[in-house]
Amino acid sequence: MSDIEIAQANEAHNMLPITKVAESVGLTAADLELYGNYKAKLSIPTLRRLRHASQGKLVLVTSINPTPAGEGKSTVTIGLGDALRLRGQKAVIALREPSLGPVMGMKGGATGGGYSQVVPMEDINLHFTGDMHALTTAVDTLAALIDNHLQQGNALNLDPRRLLWRRALDINDRALRHVVIGLGGHANGVPRETEFDITVASELMAVLCLAEDLADLKARISRIVIGYTYDRAPVTVADLGVTGAIAMLLKDASKPNLVQTLAHTPTLIHGGPFANIAHGCNSVLATRTALALGDIALTEAGFGADLGAEKFMDIKAPVLGKTPDAVVIVATVRALKYNGGVKLADLTTENRTALAEGFANLRRHITNMQRYGVPVLVAINHFVSDTPAEIADLIALCEAVGVTAVDAPVWADGGQGGLALADAVLAALQQPAHFTPLYAQATTATEKIETIVTEIYGGRNVTYTKEAQTALRTIRRNGWDQLPVCMAKTQYSFSDDAKALGAPDDFTITVRDVIPKLGAGFLVVMTGTVLTMPGLPKVPAAERMDVDENGKISGLF
Amino acid sequence: MSDIEIAQANEAHNMLPITKVAESVGLTAADLELYGNYKAKLSIPTLRRLRHASQGKLVLVTSINPTPAGEGKSTVTIGLGDALRLRGQKAVIALREPSLGPVMGMKGGATGGGYSQVVPMEDINLHFTGDMHALTTAVDTLAALIDNHLQQGNALNLDPRRLLWRRALDINDRALRHVVIGLGGHANGVPRETEFDITVASELMAVLCLAEDLADLKARISRIVIGYTYDRAPVTVADLGVTGAIAMLLKDASKPNLVQTLAHTPTLIHGGPFANIAHGCNSVLATRTALALGDIALTEAGFGADLGAEKFMDIKAPVLGKTPDAVVIVATVRALKYNGGVKLADLTTENRTALAEGFANLRRHITNMQRYGVPVLVAINHFVSDTPAEIADLIALCEAVGVTAVDAPVWADGGQGGLALADAVLAALQQPAHFTPLYAQATTATEKIETIVTEIYGGRNVTYTKEAQTALRTIRRNGWDQLPVCMAKTQYSFSDDAKALGAPDDFTITVRDVIPKLGAGFLVVMTGTVLTMPGLPKVPAAERMDVDENGKISGLF
């Protein structure tokens, strides 16, 4: 059965009312704002109350560098959560919201897979509770207000050539990557070049995910730098006078959403910033809520550990006020063989040599996570083509570097398939965690960048284009030089060359721009050619999708 | 108190759970999909069941040509509904959904006013149940799929210069009226000129509002003409193979939403197509549901009766299978004086001469509605500055042309202020209605256009630009010449000159294009300079809006 078929079979007969799921972690109907019977948002008073509740243990799930072979971070996180509950633990999961663009493009759904899924999967993958749409609306309303300001006399003296704010859609639309707007004469705006991002790449998504409450959301929105004046002075949303309107559009989107896994484990799904252009973690509010509601909170970080987990540690954790008590790195035999040079078509054939070769990728991620001072273990997301010899090899390779690896057939077996992993996690949580940040906040942007490149990526050094040097001067001039840095790098490699798989050495990272995101509170460091608006493939997933006259959806997986 | 203050005072203490409101018209919790406690969608099985229920009487509320002075169609519709219930009638209201673009721009909210409002007004004016966002997503996903088709080899031989499908946002953004997309080299799409519309102006909105169920929605989507090949053959959504995906995105949006007035009158709010570029009426499903649930269903049509009501009669009614049993034309003393030449600043001063002069506008609308063979009456939406003499004059002017006019202070007094109007409507519903369509379907587009221009607008004749003549040839060649026509004309005048107020005579309407909308099932006739993407004013309403740390919204009115 496909993922959607498994989900639908379950949804019809087995989903609990979300009020029941909420009860299992001590919430009442009064804490919830229902969106149908199976989805709810947590109310503002409830979020405020839970902020002061005692916190459980935090498990961060991350992975090796993504490959076309698939890793399955969400699937493992969900299966692990269900397994921990089978072991009698009060586990709560906190995930990111799917983006419709990739759903319609290549990826299909993003709600786990097999018997480790969150439901109702169709709703979560499509419009859910409207958070992405509210964000898109807020992003584009702000853009319209900026262009209207240019049109109506430009009292702020904004330089149309130096605007930073871009429009966004939650759609993979490469034709909007580079556009000219404002054509058609004086009544139709000021002509200028601009770009559209996918919504999850917008600063407002990062703002939503880092905001601690509505007051903080407003403060962050007010600080967003929308561009510069002709005199190169930064101009913020506060200067434009529309902080309140933009925050108002995000009022409901700022509240975490509660759903359930197929096994009824409470799951908060909230926020989904890209892990390259942004920090790639779900919202601080959702993770904090999971920590307050559960004895163990499981959360994930986007892409590989070089991007998502590094940003979790260095950007999200300081805001969250909590660092992980254990880190689980998800790997697959397939993906490691791919890293070892095997072609996509040949991954179902046993190849222990390639596995050993590709292990270099996992090994570096293990070392990186260990340097943060927290217990690390490896979850093997089991595919049907994995051979016993390959699994045994991978476990041995991990043991050789002092790390427990556990075979976790959660796709096929749900929580039952994750029991061994759950036991390993529970053992890891008994170990002491002595979190050590990668860098001190009171260092410069270039110092932070160089630390990440040499210590995490394993690169040799960093070069800066002329544009990046100019950007860094602007950043220093404005006093932003000590903000955390958010690296925008290809997810496929430790380097900025997407084709350099495994564990490349001795490479140089080229920084081509540094963009201040004062609302998010970090500097985005652009390396290589990071796309902030994906494209659709030759045969988009959309072509398979359908809905029948009763509203039943098919082809979404 | 402002509208939002009145609404909030009520929402806090007086709103009924929407399940209770539903009970008052015989619906149970099983018929509803809840969106919080105060909003619900009707389920597909319920809509199917109600389709075969007996139908109540239908009252269409329309108005004189809009002016900056304000008319208040929604306010009168709501106040009338509440008044009818005070008179013991089972009245159900069916309105259009507000568009966020105008809310952020000039208009503020669109949920009635004063003590004649629908609630929760903040939700309805902002994201509501996500219908607008689902539409925007569907419109732009289709556009991305079309541009991706061009990018990936263009197997359908689409002519990029002859694409009809445009992107949309629910935002007033004049800078997107004329854009060039696909710039930046071969990986970033095929460069071409295009336009963005506001979402409510998109054909998909008209499709949603005319669809009778999901099967019909899919059939309509499949028929949408997205453009032409290099050989000038039309290309549809079905040809592109994405009907299912687009319909899937609209699955929930296609279900009517149930809310309540301040006095708990059940109100269906669903769909909101522009009344110039589209037909300007709420959905067939919502109106049909109101007819099934109530003894009297009240609905409105956009802009003045020359646009919205004409399209209700000639486009919506044939699909609905029901014509109005009475028509209420809303007028204000202020707006008539404005039509009589008084400046906006001077409208609070009594001016009986200007009122008599401006009455010409109302008189023509009365005549137009009477020609459809249904009882007509006038509702005077009372403003505080109206003098008793002005009200008396207006009633007398209407009586002189054989029509009852009723003073209706529903803004100030809610349903109590609409009792006299309710009595007049009940009397009108006792009169026989002998509906006569304006034109036979089996006439050509030019015949239909000329009938509307001479019989409804009061114009002399029609000229066609060269572009329009070419478009009409294409329409004839493809066999679309007998579809209903949907006039796109300025709402401010009977003519295509927005400045020609009152009741202009002896004018010519210039048709500059005719656009086939096969999904909606009509031909859009472009006259004058109709904007399908509004702009923001110098001081946008957004600048007044705010949300506090508890989520309370202000400045939305």
Side-chain angles (χ1 to χ4, degrees):
Chain A
M1 290 207 287
S2 72
D3 289 348
I4 189 172
E5 286 163 349
I6 293 170
Q8 286 177 339
N10 181 279
E11 287 164 17
H13 306 295
N14 193 31
M15 273 198 297
L16 291 179
I18 197 65
T19 47
K20 290 277 167 204
V21 175
E23 274 173 27
S24 74
V25 284
L27 295 176
T28 69
D31 294 310
L32 305 180
E33 297 171 1
L34 293 181
Y35 286 66
N37 288 331
Y38 304 106
K39 297 168 285 177
K41 281 185 172 285
L42 272 65
S43 76
I44 290 173
T46 301
L47 294 168
R48 199 173 281 152
R49 188 183 81 228
L50 293 178
R51 184 166 179 174
H52 304 293
S54 67
Q55 292 193 335
K57 297 272 191 180
L58 180 60
V59 177
L60 175 65
V61 180
T62 180
S63 83
I64 58 172
N65 290 92
T67 70
E71 291 65 46
K73 252 186 333 264
S74 302
T75 304
V76 169
T77 308
I78 295 162
L80 174 57
D82 289 345
L84 284 165
R85 288 179 88 84
L86 287 174
R87 284 290 187 241
Q89 301 293 319
K90 201 162 142 193
V92 177
I93 299 169
L95 299 174
R96 293 169 299 157
E97 300 188 44
S99 163
L100 251 176
V103 167
M104 287 291 172
M106 192 92 84
K107 192 170 180 179
T111 45
Y115 289 88
S116 293
Q117 291 192 61
V118 280
V119 285
M121 81 86 90
E122 303 94 321
D123 290 10
I124 300 170
N125 278 308
L126 296 178
H127 309 294
F128 200 22
T129 58
D131 296 345
M132 288 286 173
H133 295 327
L135 276 159
T136 302
T137 303
V139 170
D140 293 332
T141 296
L142 178 52
L145 288 162
I146 292 168
D147 274 294
N148 190 57
H149 185 85
L150 295 179
Q151 172 78 4
Q152 305 281 2
N154 196 10
L156 289 171
N157 195 33
L158 273 169
D159 184 345
R161 305 161 305 174
R162 289 197 166 82
L163 291 176
L164 295 175
W165 196 253
R166 301 165 164 204
R167 286 169 179 78
L169 290 176
D170 188 19
I171 292 174
N172 286 13
D173 193 348
R174 67 161 62 75
L176 296 181
R177 282 179 191 154
H178 301 283
V179 302
V180 174
I181 63 169
L183 300 173
H186 68 92
N188 301 310
V190 175
R192 64 183 186 92
E193 279 186 73
T194 186
E195 297 88 26
F196 280 69
D197 294 329
I198 190 161
T199 300
V200 289
S202 174
E203 183 175 1
L204 267 185
M205 172 58 96
V207 162
L208 182 99
C209 287
L210 290 168
E212 302 197 64
D213 53 26
L214 267 178
D216 186 32
L217 182 78
K218 283 173 72 172
R220 288 175 177 273
I221 290 170
S222 74
R223 288 196 295 265
I224 291 173
V225 177
I226 57 174
Y228 297 93
T229 67
Y230 282 103
D231 311 319
R232 312 275 179 98
V235 179
T236 64
V237 172
D239 295 330
L240 198 64
V242 297
T243 301
I246 302 304
M248 176 189 74
L249 289 170
L250 297 177
K251 171 177 80 85
D252 292 323
S254 71
K255 303 168 195 163
N257 307 289
L258 181 66
V259 291
Q260 63 191 293
T261 68
L262 291 176
H264 318 309
T265 303
T267 305
L268 294 149
I269 301 197
H270 193 220
F274 257 26
N276 48 17
I277 190 79
H279 64 293
C281 306
N282 71 352
S283 75
V284 162
L285 273 172
T287 306
R288 186 173 281 162
T289 304
L291 283 163
L293 296 177
D295 294 332
I296 302 176
L298 305 169
T299 192
E300 58 172 358
F303 292 145
D306 54 327
L307 285 170
E310 183 271 313
K311 294 171 185 179
F312 187 97
M313 303 298 194
D314 300 319
I315 294 173
K316 179 173 171 178
V319 180
L320 182 64
K322 170 80 184 162
T323 56
D325 297 291
V327 172
V328 175
I329 305 176
V330 177
T332 62
V333 167
R334 289 165 56 87
L336 290 175
K337 289 193 290 189
Y338 187 84
N339 265 286
V342 177
K343 292 212 178 78
L344 201 56
D346 301 330
L347 288 175
T348 51
T349 310
E350 181 176 276
N351 190 331
R352 298 167 66 183
T353 315
L355 176 64
E357 186 77 18
F359 177 71
N361 185 268
L362 174 55
R363 190 177 50 210
R364 186 172 294 170
H365 287 297
I366 290 171
T367 311
N368 287 345
M369 292 300 100
Q370 286 173 328
R371 79 157 35 247
Y372 284 100
V374 293
V376 175
L377 49 91
V378 169
I380 305 171
N381 182 18
H382 195 107
F383 276 67
V384 283
S385 59
D386 299 350
T387 70
E390 287 175 328
I391 297 285
D393 280 1
L394 182 48
I395 291 171
L397 285 163
C398 290
E399 265 172 15
V401 294
V403 167
T404 304
V406 185
D407 190 22
V410 292
W411 193 97
D413 301 330
Q416 289 290 344
L419 287 175
L421 178 62
D423 293 337
V425 166
L426 289 171
L429 290 176
Q430 299 304 315
Q431 297 171 36
H434 304 289
F435 183 82
T436 318
L438 181 67
Y439 52 70
Q441 295 295 332
T443 50
T444 65
T446 53
E447 285 168 340
K448 292 189 178 86
I449 294 167
E450 280 147 33
T451 300
I452 292 170
V453 167
T454 54
E455 303 291 308
I456 299 290
Y457 300 167
R460 189 162 40 86
N461 58 10
V462 185
T463 62
Y464 298 88
T465 64
K466 209 171 149 61
E467 190 188 9
Q469 291 171 31
T470 306
L472 283 166
R473 274 196 299 277
T474 302
I475 283 161
R476 284 190 287 269
R477 195 173 59 237
N478 285 292
W480 304 327
D481 198 30
Q482 299 200 349
L483 288 172
V485 297
C486 182
M487 301 297 284
K489 178 182 72 67
T490 176
Q491 63 266 39
Y492 298 115
S493 170
F494 279 110
S495 75
D496 59 6
D497 171 8
K499 295 199 170 63
L501 304 184
D505 276 311
D506 200 38
F507 57 85
T508 297
I509 291 276
T510 302
V511 172
R512 54 182 181 79
D513 200 3
V514 184
I515 305 162
K517 303 275 187 183
L518 274 284
F522 53 62
L523 307 172
V524 172
V525 178
M526 304 293 289
T527 74
T529 48
V530 166
L531 288 175
T532 55
M533 173 55 97
L536 290 167
K538 190 164 176 72
V539 182
E543 293 187 14
R544 301 185 303 253
M545 296 175 183
D546 203 0
V547 59
D548 74 10
E549 70 278 12
N550 298 312
K552 185 174 175 187
I553 285 171
S554 55
L556 183 70
F557 56 104
Chain B
M1 289 208 286
S2 71
D3 290 348
I4 189 172
E5 287 163 347
I6 293 170
Q8 286 176 339
N10 180 280
E11 288 164 17
H13 305 295
N14 193 32
M15 272 198 295
L16 291 180
I18 197 66
T19 47
K20 289 277 166 205
V21 175
E23 274 173 29
S24 75
V25 284
L27 295 176
T28 69
D31 294 311
L32 305 181
E33 297 171 1
L34 293 180
Y35 286 66
N37 288 331
Y38 305 106
K39 299 167 283 178
K41 281 186 172 284
L42 272 64
S43 76
I44 290 174
T46 300
L47 294 168
R48 199 173 281 150
R49 187 184 80 228
L50 293 177
R51 185 166 177 174
H52 304 293
S54 68
Q55 293 193 334
K57 297 272 191 181
L58 180 60
V59 177
L60 174 66
V61 180
T62 179
S63 84
I64 59 172
N65 290 92
T67 71
E71 291 66 46
K73 250 185 337 260
S74 301
T75 304
V76 169
T77 308
I78 295 162
L80 174 56
D82 289 346
L84 284 165
R85 287 180 88 85
L86 287 174
R87 285 290 188 243
Q89 301 293 319
K90 200 161 141 194
V92 177
I93 299 170
L95 299 175
R96 292 169 299 157
E97 299 188 46
S99 163
L100 252 176
V103 166
M104 286 290 172
M106 191 91 85
K107 192 170 178 179
T111 44
Y115 290 87
S116 292
Q117 292 191 60
V118 280
V119 285
M121 81 84 93
E122 302 95 320
D123 291 10
I124 300 170
N125 277 309
L126 296 178
H127 309 294
F128 200 21
T129 57
D131 296 345
M132 288 286 173
H133 294 328
L135 276 159
T136 301
T137 303
V139 170
D140 293 333
T141 296
L142 178 53
L145 288 163
I146 292 168
D147 273 294
N148 190 56
H149 185 86
L150 294 180
Q151 173 77 5
Q152 306 281 3
N154 197 9
L156 288 172
N157 195 32
L158 273 170
D159 185 345
R161 305 162 305 174
R162 288 197 167 81
L163 292 176
L164 295 175
W165 196 252
R166 301 164 164 205
R167 287 170 178 78
L169 290 176
D170 188 18
I171 292 173
N172 286 13
D173 194 348
R174 67 161 62 75
L176 297 181
R177 282 178 190 155
H178 301 283
V179 302
V180 174
I181 64 170
L183 300 173
H186 67 93
N188 301 310
V190 175
R192 63 185 187 91
E193 280 186 73
T194 186
E195 297 88 26
F196 280 69
D197 294 329
I198 190 161
T199 300
V200 289
S202 173
E203 182 175 1
L204 266 185
M205 173 58 97
V207 163
L208 182 99
C209 287
L210 290 168
E212 301 197 67
D213 53 26
L214 267 178
D216 186 32
L217 182 78
K218 283 173 71 173
R220 287 175 178 272
I221 290 170
S222 74
R223 289 197 295 265
I224 292 172
V225 176
I226 57 173
Y228 297 92
T229 67
Y230 283 103
D231 311 319
R232 312 276 178 98
V235 179
T236 65
V237 172
D239 295 330
L240 198 64
V242 296
T243 301
I246 302 305
M248 178 190 74
L249 289 170
L250 297 177
K251 170 176 80 85
D252 292 323
S254 70
K255 304 168 195 163
N257 307 290
L258 181 67
V259 291
Q260 63 191 293
T261 68
L262 290 176
H264 317 309
T265 303
T267 305
L268 294 148
I269 302 197
H270 193 221
F274 257 26
N276 47 19
I277 190 79
H279 65 292
C281 307
N282 70 353
S283 76
V284 162
L285 273 173
T287 306
R288 186 174 282 162
T289 304
L291 283 163
L293 296 177
D295 293 332
I296 301 176
L298 305 169
T299 192
E300 58 173 357
F303 291 145
D306 53 328
L307 285 171
E310 183 271 313
K311 294 171 185 179
F312 187 98
M313 303 297 196
D314 299 320
I315 295 173
K316 179 174 172 179
V319 180
L320 182 64
K322 170 80 183 161
T323 55
D325 297 292
V327 172
V328 175
I329 305 176
V330 177
T332 63
V333 167
R334 289 165 57 86
L336 290 174
K337 288 193 290 189
Y338 187 85
N339 265 287
V342 177
K343 292 210 178 78
L344 202 54
D346 301 331
L347 288 175
T348 51
T349 310
E350 181 175 277
N351 190 331
R352 297 166 68 183
T353 315
L355 176 64
E357 186 77 19
F359 177 72
N361 185 269
L362 174 55
R363 190 177 50 211
R364 186 173 294 172
H365 288 297
I366 291 170
T367 312
N368 288 345
M369 292 299 101
Q370 287 173 327
R371 78 156 37 248
Y372 284 100
V374 294
V376 175
L377 49 91
V378 169
I380 305 170
N381 181 18
H382 195 108
F383 276 66
V384 283
S385 59
D386 299 350
T387 69
E390 287 174 328
I391 298 287
D393 280 3
L394 182 48
I395 291 170
L397 286 163
C398 290
E399 265 171 14
V401 295
V403 166
T404 303
V406 185
D407 191 22
V410 292
W411 193 97
D413 301 329
Q416 289 290 343
L419 286 175
L421 178 62
D423 293 337
V425 166
L426 289 170
L429 290 176
Q430 299 304 314
Q431 296 171 37
H434 303 289
F435 183 82
T436 317
L438 181 68
Y439 52 70
Q441 295 296 333
T443 51
T444 65
T446 53
E447 286 168 340
K448 291 188 178 87
I449 294 166
E450 280 147 33
T451 300
I452 293 169
V453 168
T454 54
E455 302 291 309
I456 299 290
Y457 300 167
R460 188 161 42 85
N461 57 11
V462 185
T463 63
Y464 298 87
T465 64
K466 209 170 149 61
E467 189 187 9
Q469 291 171 32
T470 306
L472 283 166
R473 274 195 299 277
T474 301
I475 283 161
R476 283 190 288 269
R477 194 173 58 237
N478 285 291
W480 304 327
D481 197 32
Q482 299 200 348
L483 288 172
V485 297
C486 182
M487 301 297 285
K489 179 182 70 70
T490 176
Q491 63 267 38
Y492 298 115
S493 171
F494 279 109
S495 75
D496 58 6
D497 171 10
K499 295 198 170 64
L501 303 184
D505 276 310
D506 201 36
F507 57 84
T508 297
I509 291 276
T510 302
V511 172
R512 54 180 182 79
D513 200 3
V514 185
I515 304 162
K517 304 274 187 184
L518 274 283
F522 52 61
L523 306 172
V524 172
V525 179
M526 304 293 289
T527 75
T529 48
V530 165
L531 288 175
T532 55
M533 172 55 96
L536 290 166
K538 190 165 176 72
V539 182
E543 292 187 14
R544 300 185 304 253
M545 297 175 183
D546 202 1
V547 60
D548 73 11
E549 70 278 13
N550 298 312
K552 186 176 175 186
I553 286 170
S554 55
L556 182 70
F557 55 104

